[in-house]
Amino acid sequence: WAGHRALTHSLAVQVALGVLAWFSLPFGFFLSLLAGWVSHSLCDMMTPSGVAWFWPSRVRCVLPGNAKYRMAAMGRGELAFAVVLAASGVVLLSLARAGEGTAGLIRSAIGDIAAAREQYDAEKGRNAWVLRLEGRDNRSYEGVDGSYPVIGPWKEAGFILESESGPRTACRSSACDWYADHAVLVKGEPEITTTTTITAERIGTGSLSEPLAQLESTGRVYLLGTLTAKGIRPEEPTVTVAGEAVHLAYATPAELAAWPSMVLRDVDLTVQVRHAPGTVIPQMPGPVGEKFTINPLLERWIGETQGSLRQDSSKQVIR
């Protein structure tokens, strides 16, 4: 009853102290303590004397049942087992440092882009992300293997990725720019996303570009939403145009700066600033969100000539 691997290895004591640790320790410490204690007892079952799991009963539990295959303490079998555990520890330590966890290891082995998208949706907004991709271009059929920063989600199970040739969509179908044979999502540096909303009946492109340039000094800036304008050239997948309706999906201020000087109408945008923790983000200064009053007889001429609008003290001037 009081021998080695008896009271301290019993199920009753492990459960009692496990409950005490649950209420008194942080979860990570509780989990480490319980995992170490229970796995220690399980490994001790492989010794000739076994473990008194059901103490105070003197019944000993062993694994395997045949004593021929159990390991004597300080014997060769135990040494070989310790070497295997130490080697496994090196692999698990690398996995822990990567922050992927067991589920991440399984996802990496499978390489399903739908699973990567599910992980991104669950954890976005906390870190920068990179997609390790093996695939090919859906038009040229050339290989596109590499690691690409994730800009944002695309439709049901895809991504918008940053590449040397501009934003590209990746998914497991021909509907995207790239077909993903194997995709693994990799967590990057900690990152916070700060958002602000811009709504205006009318606003000039210059009035919108200037404050966005200030935000770019603090992090990466993306625009999402809709507006109405003439003469905007589509830049798939970030800028989609249907007639005068323009839809932005993670467009950058650089894309906006390439537009001709004009008045944008019915603006409803969300501005994302992705920045390092602790970075101070400036407030969006005026005249963002400013509403211009224009004679209806002049409105269509402003749109057709792509004129610009500026505020001049007490009156508005069309230039």
Side-chain angles (χ1 to χ4, degrees):
W1 281 314
H4 186 48
R5 304 188 184 100
L7 171 65
T8 57
H9 290 56
S10 68
L11 184 62
V13 171
Q14 291 187 33
V15 169
L17 291 182
V19 171
L20 180 63
W22 170 265
F23 289 104
S24 59
L25 294 177
F27 179 74
F29 289 99
F30 156 77
L31 191 61
S32 299
L33 174 65
L34 195 63
W37 199 338
V38 172
S39 63
H40 172 88
S41 299
L42 289 172
C43 291
D44 277 349
M45 289 175 63
M46 293 185 283
T47 61
S49 60
V51 173
W53 274 106
F54 303 106
W55 184 92
S57 169
R58 289 186 291 179
V59 171
R60 292 275 175 153
C61 301
V62 294
L63 181 71
N66 191 333
K68 178 181 177 180
Y69 299 106
R70 299 202 291 271
M71 300 178 295
M74 303 302 293
R76 292 182 179 180
E78 187 180 58
L79 177 60
F81 186 70
V83 170
V84 171
L85 287 182
S88 302
V90 173
V91 176
L92 293 174
L93 179 60
S94 300
L95 180 62
R97 286 175 174 169
E100 294 184 355
T102 306
L105 180 63
I106 296 173
R107 282 193 294 263
S108 297
I110 297 175
D112 181 20
I113 194 169
R117 171 61 185 277
E118 184 178 349
Q119 179 188 2
Y120 178 81
D121 288 341
E123 302 183 37
K124 62 186 177 184
R126 305 171 188 171
N127 295 82
W129 295 92
V130 173
L131 191 72
R132 290 205 305 261
L133 181 68
E134 295 177 13
R136 57 191 180 277
D137 191 288
N138 271 323
R139 294 178 178 83
S140 66
Y141 305 132
E142 295 180 355
V144 293
D145 297 1
S147 296
Y148 302 93
V150 175
I151 295 176
W154 175 252
K155 295 187 177 178
E156 293 296 327
F159 291 94
I160 302 177
L161 305 176
E162 183 180 318
S163 73
E164 294 181 355
S165 54
R168 293 292 181 267
T169 56
C171 62
R172 202 168 176 82
S173 76
S174 59
C176 294
D177 299 317
W178 294 344
Y179 184 90
D181 292 315
H182 189 276
V184 178
L185 193 64
V186 180
K187 185 181 296 185
E189 295 296 322
E191 184 178 74
I192 296 175
T193 300
T194 301
T195 62
T196 186
T197 302
I198 300 175
T199 57
E201 292 182 3
R202 297 175 183 84
I203 188 172
T205 51
S207 298
L208 189 57
S209 297
E210 292 175 7
L212 293 178
Q214 297 181 27
L215 293 177
E216 282 190 292
S217 64
T218 61
R220 294 178 294 144
V221 179
Y222 297 101
L223 294 92
L224 304 91
T226 58
L227 56 89
T228 303
K230 288 185 178 181
I232 301 297
R233 188 177 69 177
E235 295 287 348
E236 301 286 353
T238 55
V239 181
T240 305
V241 179
E244 295 185 10
V246 181
H247 180 264
L248 305 182
Y250 301 97
T252 63
E255 292 174 290
L256 182 65
W259 295 355
S261 181
M262 67 174 68
V263 174
L264 308 175
R265 306 188 308 277
D266 304 323
V267 177
D268 186 4
L269 298 178
T270 297
V271 180
Q272 283 189 357
V273 185
R274 301 179 188 175
H275 56 89
T279 303
V280 178
I281 305 300
Q283 294 292 325
M284 293 285 286
V288 172
E290 182 178 355
K291 297 182 179 181
F292 295 96
T293 303
I294 304 175
N295 190 309
L297 297 176
L298 298 177
E299 256 189 347
R300 70 185 187 92
W301 298 104
I302 294 173
E304 291 175 3
T305 60
Q306 296 179 347
S308 64
L309 193 63
R310 65 181 175 86
Q311 189 85 13
D312 183 11
S313 64
S314 62
K315 63 179 180 178
Q316 296 185 17
V317 180
I318 298 174
R319 181 175 60 185

